[in-house]
Amino acid sequence: MDGELLTIGAFARASRLSPKALRLYDELGLLPPVHVDPHSGYRHYAPAQLERARLVAWLRRLGMPLARIREVCELAPGAAARAVAAYWAQAEADVAARRDLAAFLVDQLERENTAMTAPETPSTPLTMRVAALTDRGLVRPANQDAAYAGSRLLAVADGYGPRGGPAATAAVEALKVLEDQDLTSADLPAALEEAARRAHRAAPSAEASGSTLTALLRSGSRLGLLHIGDSRAYVLRDSGLFCVTHDHSVVQSLIDEGRLTPEEAASHPQRALLLRSLEGGADFAPDLQLLEAHPGERYLLCTDGLAGVVPTETIQEVLAGAATPQQAVAELVRHAHEAGAPDNVGCAVGEVAAAA
């Protein structure tokens, strides 16, 4: 039988897969050898396995995750072709999203560079027109989301567990005191972090209850952003709509590792599990950053009851087309209802404008 088979070295050369990759694919059950020597452990492959091995190599060059490759390899040719086409369409969408994020970062850094190098001139005083709205949705028995919109502060929180509603409300309330404090832009991240830390310490330590928290606090033209959990912050600029937060969730970590695709994440059984949140006894690790605000921009903070069911394109259309922040939040909640509103919905919108 050995004379009819290819050694792992010969098979690697023929398939253009390294022996190391072949050993990994054997361990994963993706490309097991037809014979393993019981004494030496040396692997042997049949020539008929070359077609599958080459398909695996091509799919890896596309960047397809191994779990997805295993599924494609088990399909009939026609179904496999459709699966590859669907994967590539998603990959192109992901590249477009990363391109938009890169454009946002370039824009943000150029603004900061201009602010640092420009001659000292009086800055244009800014104000924010704001609105916030929460909704129970069409499925949940109670509303555990909280949202707030003040002249300098936007915040949303998504509670979970038996005490989730009070936890979300307490998280937002802990930040409201910051609106009355005289803070410089340099003070914003530390002030947000300390207020959120107080909410974290007060969060329930039992019953697996807690809350997400995403907030923007303005001082002049700078915005401090605090984020923990899977609620989101978006900014609408002339160059488009950008999500400026990263979900702290199990499914997002799997996406980041290439073990899950975004479309698979939507129906993943662990999509509600968080890696970070405001929960007594858990580590407190929020993301903090500073943004430069300009007149005409609109900022949206929302819970996953909105972001999880309303497409990004629709969110952008609503934010761009609404006459006022009040109309924007009402329209966003309406779209969540049209999508079935399986979760509570919380959102806050702020429009930056030059002060009169």
Side-chain angles (χ1 to χ4, degrees), residues 250-262 265:
V250 169
V251 294
Q252 185 60 55
S253 70
L254 295 175
I255 293 172
D256 294 343
E257 295 167 5
R259 296 164 59 191
L260 200 65
T261 63

Side-chain angles (χ1 to χ4, degrees), residues 118-186:
E120 288 292 332
T121 57
S123 59
T124 302
L126 299 180
T127 186
M128 275 206 307
R129 292 189 282 264
V130 300
L133 185 63
T134 67
D135 186 86
R136 182 174 61 86
L138 302 176
V139 176
R140 300 286 189 183
N143 188 0
Q144 293 189 307
D145 283 5
Y148 174 78
S151 60
R152 294 177 54 215
L153 175 70
L154 298 177
V156 296
D158 183 357
Y160 58 87
R163 298 286 298 163
T169 300
V172 172
E173 289 293 326
L175 299 187
K176 286 185 181 180
V177 298
L178 299 178
E179 280 220 276
D180 300 324
Q181 296 182 12
D182 185 16
L183 299 169
T184 67
S185 60

Side-chain angles (χ1 to χ4, degrees), residues 295-319:
E297 294 175 340
R298 282 184 170 176
Y299 290 83
L300 166 67
L301 308 186
C302 64
T303 60
D304 66 338
L306 176 69
V309 299
V310 178
T312 303
E313 296 79 9
T314 302
I315 292 175
Q316 179 170 345
E317 290 173 4
V318 171
L319 287 178

Side-chain angles (χ1 to χ4, degrees), residues 66-108:
L66 291 174
R68 188 74 170 269
I69 290 175
R70 184 186 297 112
E71 295 174 2
V72 172
C73 287
E74 298 302 324
L75 297 174
R82 291 189 292 273
V84 172
Y87 168 78
W88 188 245
Q90 183 61 53
E92 290 182 321
D94 292 343
V95 169
R98 290 196 296 273
R99 182 183 62 240
D100 291 344
L101 177 57
F104 167 78
L105 291 174
V106 169
D107 183 42
Q108 188 69 28

Side-chain angles (χ1 to χ4, degrees), residues 158 160 211-214 226-232 245-249 252 273-278 285-287 304:
D158 183 357
Y160 58 87
S211 176
T212 71
L213 180 61
T214 301
L226 177 141
H227 169 68
I228 186 166
D230 64 352
S231 295
R232 292 184 180 175
T245 53
H246 194 68
D247 293 352
H248 301 145
S249 64
Q252 185 60 55
L273 294 183
L274 299 176
L275 296 176
R276 300 190 223 169
S277 66
L278 300 179
D287 292 338
D304 66 338

Side-chain angles (χ1 to χ4, degrees), residues 3 29 65 74 105 162 208 241 269 321 338 344:
E74 298 302 324
L105 291 174
L241 180 71
E338 290 179 352
N344 306 150

